[in-house]
Amino acid sequence: KLYLSEIATPYQNPGNDWYYKVFLDLGEITDLPLSTGDFDPSICPPNSKWVSDWYVGSEGQVVEAKNFACVFERSHYDVAALHRTESGKTYSRIASELVVRVAISAGNYDYILDFIFKQDGSVRFTVSATGHSNYDPVDMESEPKYRWGNIVNEDVAAVNHDHFYSVYIDLDVDGTSNTFVKDTLTKRRFPNHPYHRTSYWERISTPIHTEKQAISTPPTYNRPVLWRFQSQNKTNVGANTSYRIYAHGNTVSLLDYCDVGARRIRWARKQLFVTPYNENEQFASGFYPNQNTGLRTGVHYW
């Protein structure tokens, strides 16, 4: 199971007109579902197959969302396999991938969610932001420098803000008995190597036994870390079957831990949380983030 658990877009202008935007999240956008379907077909390739879905309306009624998602195959002409034999013959194969695409509208933003299934068994999830930006009117004569962002046109400023996404992943690797493992690449030294090698690195695998130990910040180049969900089953060479979790290009929130705009998104201060499965703990900011203080709910509290 993989889905978008929470969105947060805290704006940095502390003024009254922008104060409510500090709390922009999935629970406070509108009383309508994020995606009602019927998007322009141009957001998907011509070879797409469209899928409908249903959602619960504001009065509890069941509503059909036509063209809710599209499914298509694509190729960027990346090489999936390439090998040159000793006889000089070359074997190669172009990679293709299956994409499930959903578009959602959230205020002035529109997001494209792509669930990408690759031939090597990996799954990639990407979020692309589009829509139109929010601007702040400024008087350039009295305020030549805009503290909360950048002046982008005459008397128009763009406000600094973040886009944080929390993704919920529930993996059952060869069954439900899984262990979270951190693999750390650690440098070792040779005391006296006959060929003058002085150092090497090895992978140190550490099973994580508590939720607090699993909380992680983005790895650094000085100390790379690999995250895996590992089963109790063994391969034919004795290794545990596992699935690696990889987050690319992420950052964390710079807001104070006690800042009123950061209380409900304390999950944005860390890159990874790992908890035992609980059907009531599937949303990073809690089940009802609207007007919630964030003090006693959310993945950081669980």
Side-chain angles (χ1 to χ4, degrees), residues 159-194:
V159 183
N160 291 336
H161 62 283
D162 304 292
H163 288 261
F164 294 113
Y165 312 95
S166 176
V167 178
Y168 179 94
I169 304 175
D170 180 15
L171 287 178
D172 290 339
V173 181
D174 283 345
T176 58
S177 182
N178 289 178
T179 301
F180 181 68
V181 178
K182 280 187 179 181
D183 292 336
T184 305
L185 304 185
T186 304
K187 184 171 71 173
R188 304 295 191 189
R189 295 191 178 277
F190 292 109
N192 295 294
H193 193 274

PDB file of all heavy atoms in Angstrom, residues 159-194:
ATOM      1  N   VAL A 159       5.992  34.983  -2.353  1.00  0.00           N
ATOM      2  CA  VAL A 159       6.262  34.680  -0.950  1.00  0.00           C
ATOM      3  C   VAL A 159       7.015  33.354  -0.840  1.00  0.00           C
ATOM      4  O   VAL A 159       6.658  32.359  -1.480  1.00  0.00           O
ATOM      5  CB  VAL A 159       4.947  34.609  -0.148  1.00  0.00           C
ATOM      6  CG1 VAL A 159       5.235  34.363   1.330  1.00  0.00           C
ATOM      7  CG2 VAL A 159       4.159  35.894  -0.327  1.00  0.00           C
ATOM      8  N   ASN A 160       8.056  33.344  -0.011  1.00  0.00           N
ATOM      9  CA  ASN A 160       8.773  32.099   0.251  1.00  0.00           C
ATOM     10  C   ASN A 160       7.845  31.079   0.907  1.00  0.00           C
ATOM     11  O   ASN A 160       7.050  31.421   1.795  1.00  0.00           O
ATOM     12  CB  ASN A 160       9.961  32.343   1.177  1.00  0.00           C
ATOM     13  CG  ASN A 160      11.062  33.147   0.519  1.00  0.00           C
ATOM     14  OD1 ASN A 160      11.178  33.169  -0.700  1.00  0.00           O
ATOM     15  ND2 ASN A 160      11.878  33.813   1.323  1.00  0.00           N
ATOM     16  N   HIS A 161       7.943  29.838   0.485  1.00  0.00           N
ATOM     17  CA  HIS A 161       7.133  28.783   1.096  1.00  0.00           C
ATOM     18  C   HIS A 161       7.740  27.425   0.769  1.00  0.00           C
ATOM     19  O   HIS A 161       8.609  27.299  -0.099  1.00  0.00           O
ATOM     20  CB  HIS A 161       5.677  28.837   0.620  1.00  0.00           C
ATOM     21  CG  HIS A 161       5.504  28.633  -0.845  1.00  0.00           C
ATOM     22  ND1 HIS A 161       5.781  29.622  -1.774  1.00  0.00           N
ATOM     23  CD2 HIS A 161       5.090  27.565  -1.568  1.00  0.00           C
ATOM     24  CE1 HIS A 161       5.543  29.181  -2.990  1.00  0.00           C
ATOM     25  NE2 HIS A 161       5.138  27.916  -2.908  1.00  0.00           N
ATOM     26  N   ASP A 162       7.303  26.426   1.487  1.00  0.00           N
ATOM     27  CA  ASP A 162       7.760  25.052   1.298  1.00  0.00           C
ATOM     28  C   ASP A 162       6.615  24.192   0.781  1.00  0.00           C
ATOM     29  O   ASP A 162       5.441  24.536   0.937  1.00  0.00           O
ATOM     30  CB  ASP A 162       8.249  24.435   2.627  1.00  0.00           C
ATOM     31  CG  ASP A 162       9.338  25.258   3.282  1.00  0.00           C
ATOM     32  OD1 ASP A 162      10.437  25.313   2.710  1.00  0.00           O
ATOM     33  OD2 ASP A 162       9.091  25.822   4.364  1.00  0.00           O
ATOM     34  N   HIS A 163       6.980  23.065   0.180  1.00  0.00           N
ATOM     35  CA  HIS A 163       6.015  22.018  -0.156  1.00  0.00           C
ATOM     36  C   HIS A 163       6.523  20.723   0.469  1.00  0.00           C
ATOM     37  O   HIS A 163       7.561  20.195   0.051  1.00  0.00           O
ATOM     38  CB  HIS A 163       5.894  21.841  -1.677  1.00  0.00           C
ATOM     39  CG  HIS A 163       5.193  22.954  -2.364  1.00  0.00           C
ATOM     40  ND1 HIS A 163       3.862  22.897  -2.735  1.00  0.00           N
ATOM     41  CD2 HIS A 163       5.617  24.183  -2.748  1.00  0.00           C
ATOM     42  CE1 HIS A 163       3.514  24.022  -3.319  1.00  0.00           C
ATOM     43  NE2 HIS A 163       4.561  24.824  -3.342  1.00  0.00           N
ATOM     44  N   PHE A 164       5.816  20.253   1.484  1.00  0.00           N
ATOM     45  CA  PHE A 164       6.186  19.004   2.138  1.00  0.00           C
ATOM     46  C   PHE A 164       5.124  17.953   1.844  1.00  0.00           C
ATOM     47  O   PHE A 164       3.921  18.231   1.924  1.00  0.00           O
ATOM     48  CB  PHE A 164       6.311  19.186   3.656  1.00  0.00           C
ATOM     49  CG  PHE A 164       7.448  20.089   4.067  1.00  0.00           C
ATOM     50  CD1 PHE A 164       7.195  21.311   4.666  1.00  0.00           C
ATOM     51  CD2 PHE A 164       8.762  19.707   3.852  1.00  0.00           C
ATOM     52  CE1 PHE A 164       8.232  22.143   5.049  1.00  0.00           C
ATOM     53  CE2 PHE A 164       9.817  20.542   4.226  1.00  0.00           C
ATOM     54  CZ  PHE A 164       9.550  21.757   4.828  1.00  0.00           C
ATOM     55  N   TYR A 165       5.571  16.769   1.510  1.00  0.00           N
ATOM     56  CA  TYR A 165       4.668  15.647   1.228  1.00  0.00           C
ATOM     57  C   TYR A 165       5.059  14.477   2.119  1.00  0.00           C
ATOM     58  O   TYR A 165       6.245  14.134   2.216  1.00  0.00           O
ATOM     59  CB  TYR A 165       4.764  15.219  -0.241  1.00  0.00           C
ATOM     60  CG  TYR A 165       4.683  16.351  -1.229  1.00  0.00           C
ATOM     61  CD1 TYR A 165       5.832  16.937  -1.743  1.00  0.00           C
ATOM     62  CD2 TYR A 165       3.463  16.844  -1.650  1.00  0.00           C
ATOM     63  CE1 TYR A 165       5.774  17.980  -2.640  1.00  0.00           C
ATOM     64  CE2 TYR A 165       3.391  17.896  -2.560  1.00  0.00           C
ATOM     65  CZ  TYR A 165       4.539  18.458  -3.047  1.00  0.00           C
ATOM     66  OH  TYR A 165       4.476  19.492  -3.941  1.00  0.00           O
ATOM     67  N   SER A 166       4.074  13.889   2.731  1.00  0.00           N
ATOM     68  CA  SER A 166       4.309  12.677   3.518  1.00  0.00           C
ATOM     69  C   SER A 166       3.685  11.503   2.775  1.00  0.00           C
ATOM     70  O   SER A 166       2.509  11.535   2.414  1.00  0.00           O
ATOM     71  CB  SER A 166       3.691  12.802   4.920  1.00  0.00           C
ATOM     72  OG  SER A 166       3.842  11.586   5.633  1.00  0.00           O
ATOM     73  N   VAL A 167       4.480  10.475   2.537  1.00  0.00           N
ATOM     74  CA  VAL A 167       4.034   9.293   1.807  1.00  0.00           C
ATOM     75  C   VAL A 167       3.924   8.123   2.780  1.00  0.00           C
ATOM     76  O   VAL A 167       4.862   7.852   3.539  1.00  0.00           O
ATOM     77  CB  VAL A 167       5.009   8.953   0.661  1.00  0.00           C
ATOM     78  CG1 VAL A 167       4.559   7.695  -0.071  1.00  0.00           C
ATOM     79  CG2 VAL A 167       5.107  10.117  -0.306  1.00  0.00           C
ATOM     80  N   TYR A 168       2.783   7.456   2.742  1.00  0.00           N
ATOM     81  CA  TYR A 168       2.547   6.285   3.591  1.00  0.00           C
ATOM     82  C   TYR A 168       2.881   5.034   2.787  1.00  0.00           C
ATOM     83  O   TYR A 168       2.376   4.836   1.678  1.00  0.00           O
ATOM     84  CB  TYR A 168       1.085   6.253   4.033  1.00  0.00           C
ATOM     85  CG  TYR A 168       0.700   5.076   4.905  1.00  0.00           C
ATOM     86  CD1 TYR A 168       0.729   5.174   6.292  1.00  0.00           C
ATOM     87  CD2 TYR A 168       0.290   3.869   4.340  1.00  0.00           C
ATOM     88  CE1 TYR A 168       0.359   4.108   7.095  1.00  0.00           C
ATOM     89  CE2 TYR A 168      -0.074   2.796   5.137  1.00  0.00           C
ATOM     90  CZ  TYR A 168      -0.036   2.918   6.508  1.00  0.00           C
ATOM     91  OH  TYR A 168      -0.401   1.845   7.293  1.00  0.00           O
ATOM     92  N   ILE A 169       3.742   4.188   3.340  1.00  0.00           N
ATOM     93  CA  ILE A 169       4.133   2.941   2.689  1.00  0.00           C
ATOM     94  C   ILE A 169       3.910   1.792   3.659  1.00  0.00           C
ATOM     95  O   ILE A 169       4.412   1.813   4.787  1.00  0.00           O
ATOM     96  CB  ILE A 169       5.615   2.969   2.251  1.00  0.00           C
ATOM     97  CG1 ILE A 169       5.890   4.168   1.351  1.00  0.00           C
ATOM     98  CG2 ILE A 169       5.993   1.676   1.558  1.00  0.00           C
ATOM     99  CD1 ILE A 169       7.353   4.316   0.982  1.00  0.00           C
ATOM    100  N   ASP A 170       3.133   0.828   3.242  1.00  0.00           N
ATOM    101  CA  ASP A 170       2.891  -0.373   4.040  1.00  0.00           C
ATOM    102  C   ASP A 170       3.358  -1.570   3.223  1.00  0.00           C
ATOM    103  O   ASP A 170       2.708  -1.978   2.263  1.00  0.00           O
ATOM    104  CB  ASP A 170       1.398  -0.492   4.389  1.00  0.00           C
ATOM    105  CG  ASP A 170       1.105  -1.743   5.220  1.00  0.00           C
ATOM    106  OD1 ASP A 170       2.068  -2.333   5.757  1.00  0.00           O
ATOM    107  OD2 ASP A 170      -0.068  -2.133   5.319  1.00  0.00           O
ATOM    108  N   LEU A 171       4.522  -2.097   3.585  1.00  0.00           N
ATOM    109  CA  LEU A 171       5.116  -3.200   2.835  1.00  0.00           C
ATOM    110  C   LEU A 171       4.973  -4.516   3.599  1.00  0.00           C
ATOM    111  O   LEU A 171       5.222  -4.578   4.806  1.00  0.00           O
ATOM    112  CB  LEU A 171       6.607  -2.939   2.595  1.00  0.00           C
ATOM    113  CG  LEU A 171       6.977  -1.863   1.565  1.00  0.00           C
ATOM    114  CD1 LEU A 171       8.482  -1.700   1.502  1.00  0.00           C
ATOM    115  CD2 LEU A 171       6.441  -2.232   0.194  1.00  0.00           C
ATOM    116  N   ASP A 172       4.576  -5.542   2.882  1.00  0.00           N
ATOM    117  CA  ASP A 172       4.607  -6.908   3.398  1.00  0.00           C
ATOM    118  C   ASP A 172       5.583  -7.676   2.523  1.00  0.00           C
ATOM    119  O   ASP A 172       5.221  -8.180   1.454  1.00  0.00           O
ATOM    120  CB  ASP A 172       3.222  -7.555   3.347  1.00  0.00           C
ATOM    121  CG  ASP A 172       2.262  -6.946   4.360  1.00  0.00           C
ATOM    122  OD1 ASP A 172       2.755  -6.338   5.323  1.00  0.00           O
ATOM    123  OD2 ASP A 172       1.048  -7.048   4.166  1.00  0.00           O
ATOM    124  N   VAL A 173       6.825  -7.748   2.953  1.00  0.00           N
ATOM    125  CA  VAL A 173       7.858  -8.424   2.167  1.00  0.00           C
ATOM    126  C   VAL A 173       7.841  -9.905   2.522  1.00  0.00           C
ATOM    127  O   VAL A 173       8.260 -10.291   3.607  1.00  0.00           O
ATOM    128  CB  VAL A 173       9.245  -7.813   2.440  1.00  0.00           C
ATOM    129  CG1 VAL A 173      10.306  -8.506   1.588  1.00  0.00           C
ATOM    130  CG2 VAL A 173       9.234  -6.319   2.176  1.00  0.00           C
ATOM    131  N   ASP A 174       7.327 -10.727   1.626  1.00  0.00           N
ATOM    132  CA  ASP A 174       7.213 -12.175   1.874  1.00  0.00           C
ATOM    133  C   ASP A 174       6.478 -12.462   3.180  1.00  0.00           C
ATOM    134  O   ASP A 174       6.897 -13.290   3.982  1.00  0.00           O
ATOM    135  CB  ASP A 174       8.600 -12.832   1.898  1.00  0.00           C
ATOM    136  CG  ASP A 174       9.155 -13.025   0.508  1.00  0.00           C
ATOM    137  OD1 ASP A 174       8.383 -12.916  -0.458  1.00  0.00           O
ATOM    138  OD2 ASP A 174      10.358 -13.294   0.382  1.00  0.00           O
ATOM    139  N   GLY A 175       5.381 -11.749   3.406  1.00  0.00           N
ATOM    140  CA  GLY A 175       4.599 -11.951   4.624  1.00  0.00           C
ATOM    141  C   GLY A 175       4.604 -10.709   5.494  1.00  0.00           C
ATOM    142  O   GLY A 175       5.208  -9.687   5.156  1.00  0.00           O
ATOM    143  N   THR A 176       3.940 -10.786   6.633  1.00  0.00           N
ATOM    144  CA  THR A 176       3.795  -9.622   7.513  1.00  0.00           C
ATOM    145  C   THR A 176       4.870  -9.536   8.577  1.00  0.00           C
ATOM    146  O   THR A 176       4.966  -8.519   9.266  1.00  0.00           O
ATOM    147  CB  THR A 176       2.421  -9.654   8.197  1.00  0.00           C
ATOM    148  OG1 THR A 176       2.292 -10.885   8.939  1.00  0.00           O
ATOM    149  CG2 THR A 176       1.297  -9.570   7.174  1.00  0.00           C
ATOM    150  N   SER A 177       5.677 -10.575   8.741  1.00  0.00           N
ATOM    151  CA  SER A 177       6.730 -10.555   9.760  1.00  0.00           C
ATOM    152  C   SER A 177       7.979  -9.906   9.170  1.00  0.00           C
ATOM    153  O   SER A 177       8.867 -10.574   8.632  1.00  0.00           O
ATOM    154  CB  SER A 177       7.034 -11.986  10.234  1.00  0.00           C
ATOM    155  OG  SER A 177       8.023 -11.972  11.246  1.00  0.00           O
ATOM    156  N   ASN A 178       8.038  -8.574   9.271  1.00  0.00           N
ATOM    157  CA  ASN A 178       9.147  -7.809   8.699  1.00  0.00           C
ATOM    158  C   ASN A 178       9.924  -7.071   9.784  1.00  0.00           C
ATOM    159  O   ASN A 178       9.380  -6.733  10.839  1.00  0.00           O
ATOM    160  CB  ASN A 178       8.634  -6.787   7.685  1.00  0.00           C
ATOM    161  CG  ASN A 178       8.116  -7.404   6.399  1.00  0.00           C
ATOM    162  OD1 ASN A 178       7.639  -6.720   5.515  1.00  0.00           O
ATOM    163  ND2 ASN A 178       8.195  -8.721   6.270  1.00  0.00           N
ATOM    164  N   THR A 179      11.183  -6.819   9.490  1.00  0.00           N
ATOM    165  CA  THR A 179      12.061  -6.059  10.372  1.00  0.00           C
ATOM    166  C   THR A 179      12.652  -4.894   9.596  1.00  0.00           C
ATOM    167  O   THR A 179      13.062  -5.056   8.441  1.00  0.00           O
ATOM    168  CB  THR A 179      13.205  -6.933  10.918  1.00  0.00           C
ATOM    169  OG1 THR A 179      12.659  -8.040  11.625  1.00  0.00           O
ATOM    170  CG2 THR A 179      14.105  -6.143  11.855  1.00  0.00           C
ATOM    171  N   PHE A 180      12.702  -3.731  10.230  1.00  0.00           N
ATOM    172  CA  PHE A 180      13.336  -2.578   9.590  1.00  0.00           C
ATOM    173  C   PHE A 180      14.832  -2.620   9.889  1.00  0.00           C
ATOM    174  O   PHE A 180      15.253  -2.807  11.037  1.00  0.00           O
ATOM    175  CB  PHE A 180      12.726  -1.279  10.109  1.00  0.00           C
ATOM    176  CG  PHE A 180      13.313  -0.052   9.474  1.00  0.00           C
ATOM    177  CD1 PHE A 180      13.092   0.228   8.143  1.00  0.00           C
ATOM    178  CD2 PHE A 180      14.092   0.823  10.218  1.00  0.00           C
ATOM    179  CE1 PHE A 180      13.633   1.350   7.547  1.00  0.00           C
ATOM    180  CE2 PHE A 180      14.640   1.954   9.634  1.00  0.00           C
ATOM    181  CZ  PHE A 180      14.402   2.215   8.300  1.00  0.00           C
ATOM    182  N   VAL A 181      15.634  -2.452   8.846  1.00  0.00           N
ATOM    183  CA  VAL A 181      17.083  -2.575   8.968  1.00  0.00           C
ATOM    184  C   VAL A 181      17.748  -1.336   8.385  1.00  0.00           C
ATOM    185  O   VAL A 181      17.347  -0.847   7.324  1.00  0.00           O
ATOM    186  CB  VAL A 181      17.595  -3.838   8.228  1.00  0.00           C
ATOM    187  CG1 VAL A 181      19.117  -3.925   8.308  1.00  0.00           C
ATOM    188  CG2 VAL A 181      16.959  -5.090   8.812  1.00  0.00           C
ATOM    189  N   LYS A 182      18.740  -0.818   9.089  1.00  0.00           N
ATOM    190  CA  LYS A 182      19.572   0.264   8.582  1.00  0.00           C
ATOM    191  C   LYS A 182      20.923  -0.307   8.177  1.00  0.00           C
ATOM    192  O   LYS A 182      21.598  -0.951   8.980  1.00  0.00           O
ATOM    193  CB  LYS A 182      19.771   1.357   9.635  1.00  0.00           C
ATOM    194  CG  LYS A 182      18.632   2.332   9.780  1.00  0.00           C
ATOM    195  CD  LYS A 182      19.009   3.461  10.732  1.00  0.00           C
ATOM    196  CE  LYS A 182      17.874   4.469  10.870  1.00  0.00           C
ATOM    197  NZ  LYS A 182      18.231   5.579  11.784  1.00  0.00           N
ATOM    198  N   ASP A 183      21.303  -0.069   6.929  1.00  0.00           N
ATOM    199  CA  ASP A 183      22.616  -0.460   6.445  1.00  0.00           C
ATOM    200  C   ASP A 183      23.490   0.780   6.373  1.00  0.00           C
ATOM    201  O   ASP A 183      23.170   1.732   5.652  1.00  0.00           O
ATOM    202  CB  ASP A 183      22.525  -1.098   5.057  1.00  0.00           C
ATOM    203  CG  ASP A 183      21.821  -2.442   5.087  1.00  0.00           C
ATOM    204  OD1 ASP A 183      21.819  -3.077   6.159  1.00  0.00           O
ATOM    205  OD2 ASP A 183      21.288  -2.854   4.045  1.00  0.00           O
ATOM    206  N   THR A 184      24.577   0.780   7.095  1.00  0.00           N
ATOM    207  CA  THR A 184      25.501   1.909   7.106  1.00  0.00           C
ATOM    208  C   THR A 184      26.791   1.513   6.410  1.00  0.00           C
ATOM    209  O   THR A 184      27.357   0.451   6.691  1.00  0.00           O
ATOM    210  CB  THR A 184      25.814   2.348   8.549  1.00  0.00           C
ATOM    211  OG1 THR A 184      24.591   2.632   9.237  1.00  0.00           O
ATOM    212  CG2 THR A 184      26.675   3.597   8.553  1.00  0.00           C
ATOM    213  N   LEU A 185      27.231   2.335   5.482  1.00  0.00           N
ATOM    214  CA  LEU A 185      28.512   2.098   4.827  1.00  0.00           C
ATOM    215  C   LEU A 185      29.612   2.703   5.700  1.00  0.00           C
ATOM    216  O   LEU A 185      29.662   3.924   5.902  1.00  0.00           O
ATOM    217  CB  LEU A 185      28.535   2.724   3.429  1.00  0.00           C
ATOM    218  CG  LEU A 185      27.422   2.267   2.483  1.00  0.00           C
ATOM    219  CD1 LEU A 185      27.633   2.861   1.094  1.00  0.00           C
ATOM    220  CD2 LEU A 185      27.337   0.753   2.406  1.00  0.00           C
ATOM    221  N   THR A 186      30.459   1.843   6.239  1.00  0.00           N
ATOM    222  CA  THR A 186      31.448   2.246   7.234  1.00  0.00           C
ATOM    223  C   THR A 186      32.862   2.011   6.711  1.00  0.00           C
ATOM    224  O   THR A 186      33.162   0.936   6.180  1.00  0.00           O
ATOM    225  CB  THR A 186      31.246   1.455   8.538  1.00  0.00           C
ATOM    226  OG1 THR A 186      29.904   1.645   8.996  1.00  0.00           O
ATOM    227  CG2 THR A 186      32.214   1.925   9.613  1.00  0.00           C
ATOM    228  N   LYS A 187      33.693   3.012   6.865  1.00  0.00           N
ATOM    229  CA  LYS A 187      35.085   2.890   6.420  1.00  0.00           C
ATOM    230  C   LYS A 187      35.907   2.109   7.426  1.00  0.00           C
ATOM    231  O   LYS A 187      35.840   2.338   8.630  1.00  0.00           O
ATOM    232  CB  LYS A 187      35.698   4.271   6.201  1.00  0.00           C
ATOM    233  CG  LYS A 187      37.120   4.230   5.645  1.00  0.00           C
ATOM    234  CD  LYS A 187      37.618   5.597   5.238  1.00  0.00           C
ATOM    235  CE  LYS A 187      37.885   6.482   6.441  1.00  0.00           C
ATOM    236  NZ  LYS A 187      38.538   7.760   6.024  1.00  0.00           N
ATOM    237  N   ARG A 188      36.700   1.184   6.914  1.00  0.00           N
ATOM    238  CA  ARG A 188      37.627   0.418   7.725  1.00  0.00           C
ATOM    239  C   ARG A 188      39.048   0.642   7.201  1.00  0.00           C
ATOM    240  O   ARG A 188      39.233   1.076   6.064  1.00  0.00           O
ATOM    241  CB  ARG A 188      37.298  -1.076   7.677  1.00  0.00           C
ATOM    242  CG  ARG A 188      35.880  -1.419   8.088  1.00  0.00           C
ATOM    243  CD  ARG A 188      35.623  -1.092   9.533  1.00  0.00           C
ATOM    244  NE  ARG A 188      34.358  -1.670   9.982  1.00  0.00           N
ATOM    245  CZ  ARG A 188      33.787  -1.400  11.149  1.00  0.00           C
ATOM    246  NH1 ARG A 188      34.363  -0.547  11.977  1.00  0.00           N
ATOM    247  NH2 ARG A 188      32.641  -1.962  11.486  1.00  0.00           N
ATOM    248  N   ARG A 189      40.039   0.300   8.029  1.00  0.00           N
ATOM    249  CA  ARG A 189      41.440   0.480   7.616  1.00  0.00           C
ATOM    250  C   ARG A 189      42.199  -0.843   7.689  1.00  0.00           C
ATOM    251  O   ARG A 189      41.946  -1.677   8.561  1.00  0.00           O
ATOM    252  CB  ARG A 189      42.136   1.529   8.489  1.00  0.00           C
ATOM    253  CG  ARG A 189      41.545   2.927   8.314  1.00  0.00           C
ATOM    254  CD  ARG A 189      42.414   3.992   8.972  1.00  0.00           C
ATOM    255  NE  ARG A 189      41.875   5.327   8.761  1.00  0.00           N
ATOM    256  CZ  ARG A 189      42.078   6.046   7.670  1.00  0.00           C
ATOM    257  NH1 ARG A 189      42.819   5.557   6.691  1.00  0.00           N
ATOM    258  NH2 ARG A 189      41.548   7.248   7.557  1.00  0.00           N
ATOM    259  N   PHE A 190      43.137  -1.004   6.745  1.00  0.00           N
ATOM    260  CA  PHE A 190      44.047  -2.131   6.781  1.00  0.00           C
ATOM    261  C   PHE A 190      45.262  -1.747   7.633  1.00  0.00           C
ATOM    262  O   PHE A 190      45.898  -0.714   7.378  1.00  0.00           O
ATOM    263  CB  PHE A 190      44.534  -2.491   5.371  1.00  0.00           C
ATOM    264  CG  PHE A 190      43.474  -3.057   4.478  1.00  0.00           C
ATOM    265  CD1 PHE A 190      42.978  -2.320   3.418  1.00  0.00           C
ATOM    266  CD2 PHE A 190      42.984  -4.340   4.695  1.00  0.00           C
ATOM    267  CE1 PHE A 190      42.018  -2.849   2.580  1.00  0.00           C
ATOM    268  CE2 PHE A 190      42.017  -4.868   3.850  1.00  0.00           C
ATOM    269  CZ  PHE A 190      41.534  -4.126   2.805  1.00  0.00           C
ATOM    270  N   PRO A 191      45.601  -2.545   8.624  1.00  0.00           N
ATOM    271  CA  PRO A 191      46.797  -2.197   9.412  1.00  0.00           C
ATOM    272  C   PRO A 191      48.092  -2.363   8.611  1.00  0.00           C
ATOM    273  O   PRO A 191      48.946  -1.479   8.588  1.00  0.00           O
ATOM    274  CB  PRO A 191      46.734  -3.164  10.592  1.00  0.00           C
ATOM    275  CG  PRO A 191      45.876  -4.295  10.123  1.00  0.00           C
ATOM    276  CD  PRO A 191      44.907  -3.713   9.135  1.00  0.00           C
ATOM    277  N   ASN A 192      48.235  -3.499   7.920  1.00  0.00           N
ATOM    278  CA  ASN A 192      49.435  -3.758   7.124  1.00  0.00           C
ATOM    279  C   ASN A 192      49.042  -4.567   5.907  1.00  0.00           C
ATOM    280  O   ASN A 192      48.992  -5.799   5.943  1.00  0.00           O
ATOM    281  CB  ASN A 192      50.478  -4.524   7.940  1.00  0.00           C
ATOM    282  CG  ASN A 192      51.021  -3.717   9.107  1.00  0.00           C
ATOM    283  OD1 ASN A 192      51.682  -2.706   8.911  1.00  0.00           O
ATOM    284  ND2 ASN A 192      50.717  -4.161  10.315  1.00  0.00           N
ATOM    285  N   HIS A 193      48.753  -3.867   4.822  1.00  0.00           N
ATOM    286  CA  HIS A 193      48.323  -4.561   3.614  1.00  0.00           C
ATOM    287  C   HIS A 193      49.534  -4.761   2.699  1.00  0.00           C
ATOM    288  O   HIS A 193      50.318  -3.833   2.476  1.00  0.00           O
ATOM    289  CB  HIS A 193      47.255  -3.750   2.882  1.00  0.00           C
ATOM    290  CG  HIS A 193      46.538  -4.518   1.819  1.00  0.00           C
ATOM    291  ND1 HIS A 193      47.023  -4.617   0.537  1.00  0.00           N
ATOM    292  CD2 HIS A 193      45.397  -5.254   1.857  1.00  0.00           C
ATOM    293  CE1 HIS A 193      46.204  -5.361  -0.181  1.00  0.00           C
ATOM    294  NE2 HIS A 193      45.210  -5.761   0.608  1.00  0.00           N
ATOM    295  N   PRO A 194      49.707  -5.992   2.146  1.00  0.00           N
ATOM    296  CA  PRO A 194      50.909  -6.251   1.327  1.00  0.00           C
ATOM    297  C   PRO A 194      50.977  -5.433   0.048  1.00  0.00           C
ATOM    298  O   PRO A 194      52.056  -5.234  -0.504  1.00  0.00           O
ATOM    299  CB  PRO A 194      50.796  -7.750   1.026  1.00  0.00           C
ATOM    300  CG  PRO A 194      49.340  -8.069   1.187  1.00  0.00           C
ATOM    301  CD  PRO A 194      48.863  -7.168   2.290  1.00  0.00           C
TER     302      PRO A 194
END
